[in-house]
């Protein structure tokens, strides 16, 4: 199941924080299984372990570095990349075949058409792809009519069936005696800008290793909760835990990243992000206007199915159980989020509802 060739590189993070080691030990002490390879689909995904990442020699591997860059350097490929362009719509001919694209760049509108037997590949993600389809006249007839868009193809599935992994945080603060254990305590401000510790930068340049090779949540696991009984495949986990060796700034995990860059001091700590990876809730993407300049309207539908709420509730309790194991005892000061006063199902549900955020796994909105 593992290839050793190909353009896209996958590797283990060349760094392991001591708190991440405690996470693995605590999971074991709590009776949770260990998974040494989450990419081995010949066995159950359940267990705690280290996540592999898209990296090559300590640097991020992306679609740009793995595919575009080599293609641009190959003179035999007729490839042009235009950055900063806004696609307005896909052009569909009388035979109802995509024949080109209308876009603007530098304040000017351009139209490009495909050659015979050419194709238009729409790869704008699960939010902007349905937006572009609807702007092009492909989507629910009544919704397109509301915005004065001529219907080329009635496709009621476009924009519907929005699915995402809802997430919620549990975060703990370390005692002052353990200051320095979290990577977040090694940042500094220079001319008002937060940067990593200079040694980290030097270590990455010299050895391609260290904290700068970590995406943050490079440890975690997949687990089955009591809510899994409703699934046809009862062996598949419905809960993912992501472990971060850092205290959350806010209860909203995504907001923490935005707020952290302006935070002058953050106590050391560690966090668990619980994610419902078999979500039942559904949302939708709709047009705000017939202009591509206006962002689409997104209704995530998070927690509209109470089974997702039950999964996340158990994720919080599992996170707390892991944190109470002896391996974390010297690093555990107090619970920051949601706080020890949040215990009952009703209190946990209120916390989840107030702090729910995306785990960035949006799919399902382009059914034709």
């Amino acid at each position: 199941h593992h290839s050793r060739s190909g353009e896209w590189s996958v590797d283990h993070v060349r760094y392991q924080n001591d708190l991440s080691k405690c996470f693995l030990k605590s999971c074991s002490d709590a009776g949770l299984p260990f998974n040494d390879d989450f990419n081995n689909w010949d066995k159950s995904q359940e267990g705690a372990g280290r996540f592999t990442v898209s990296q090559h020699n300590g640097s991020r591997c992306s679609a740009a570095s793995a595919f575009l860059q080599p293609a641009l350097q190959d003179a035999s490929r007729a490839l042009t990349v235009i950055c900063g362009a806004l696609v307005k719509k896909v052009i569909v001919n009388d035979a109802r075949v995509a024949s080109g694209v209308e876009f603007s760049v530098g304040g000017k509108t351009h139209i490009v058409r495909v050659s015979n037997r050419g194709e238009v590949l729409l790869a704008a993600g699960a939010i902007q792809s349905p937006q572009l389809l609807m702007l092009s006249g492909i989507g629910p007839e009544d919704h397109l009519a509301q915005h004065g868009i001529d219907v080329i193809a009635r496709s009621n599935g476009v924009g519907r069936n929005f699915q995402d992994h809802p997430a919620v945080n549990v975060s703990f603060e370390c005692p002052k005696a353990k200051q320095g254990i979290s990577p977040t305590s090694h940042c500094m401000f220079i001319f008002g800008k937060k940067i990593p510790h200079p040694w980290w930068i030097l270590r990455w340049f010299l050895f391609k290793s260290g904290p700068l090779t970590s995406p943050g949540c490079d440890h975690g696991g997949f687990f089955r909760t009591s809510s899994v009984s409703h699934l046809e495949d009862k062996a598949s986990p419905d809960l993912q835990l992501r472990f971060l060796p850092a205290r959350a700034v806010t209860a909203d995990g995504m907001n923490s990243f935005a707020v952290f860059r302006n935070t002058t001091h953050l106590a050391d700590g560690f966090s668990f992000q619980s994610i419902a990876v078999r979500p039942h809730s559904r949302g939708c993407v709709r047009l705000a206007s017939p202009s591509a300049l206006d962002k689409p309207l997104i209704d995530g539908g998070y927690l509209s199915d109470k089974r997702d709420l039950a999964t996340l509730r158990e994720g919080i309790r599992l996170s707390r159980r892991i944190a109470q194991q002896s391996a974390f005892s010297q690093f555990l000061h107090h619970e920051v989020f949601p706080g020890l006063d949040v215990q009952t199902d009703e209190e946990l549900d209120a916390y989840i509802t107030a702090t729910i955020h995306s785990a960035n796994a949006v799919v399902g909105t382009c059914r034709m």
Side-chain angles (χ1 to χ4, degrees), residues 50 141 159 175 181 241 342:
R50 302 183 68 177
E141 183 176 14
I181 188 69
L241 287 186
V342 180

Side-chain angles (χ1 to χ4, degrees), residues 112-156:
V112 292
R113 299 187 183 276
V114 298
S115 59
N116 291 336
R117 300 173 66 182
E119 296 178 300
V120 175
L121 302 180
L122 177 55
I127 294 175
Q128 288 189 297
S129 289
Q131 179 193 23
L132 283 171
L133 286 173
M134 289 186 283
L135 290 174
S136 307
I138 303 169
E141 183 176 14
D142 56 346
H143 181 61
L144 299 185
Q146 291 174 4
H147 295 286
I149 299 174
D150 294 334
V151 178
I152 292 175
R154 299 184 187 91
S155 296
N156 290 330

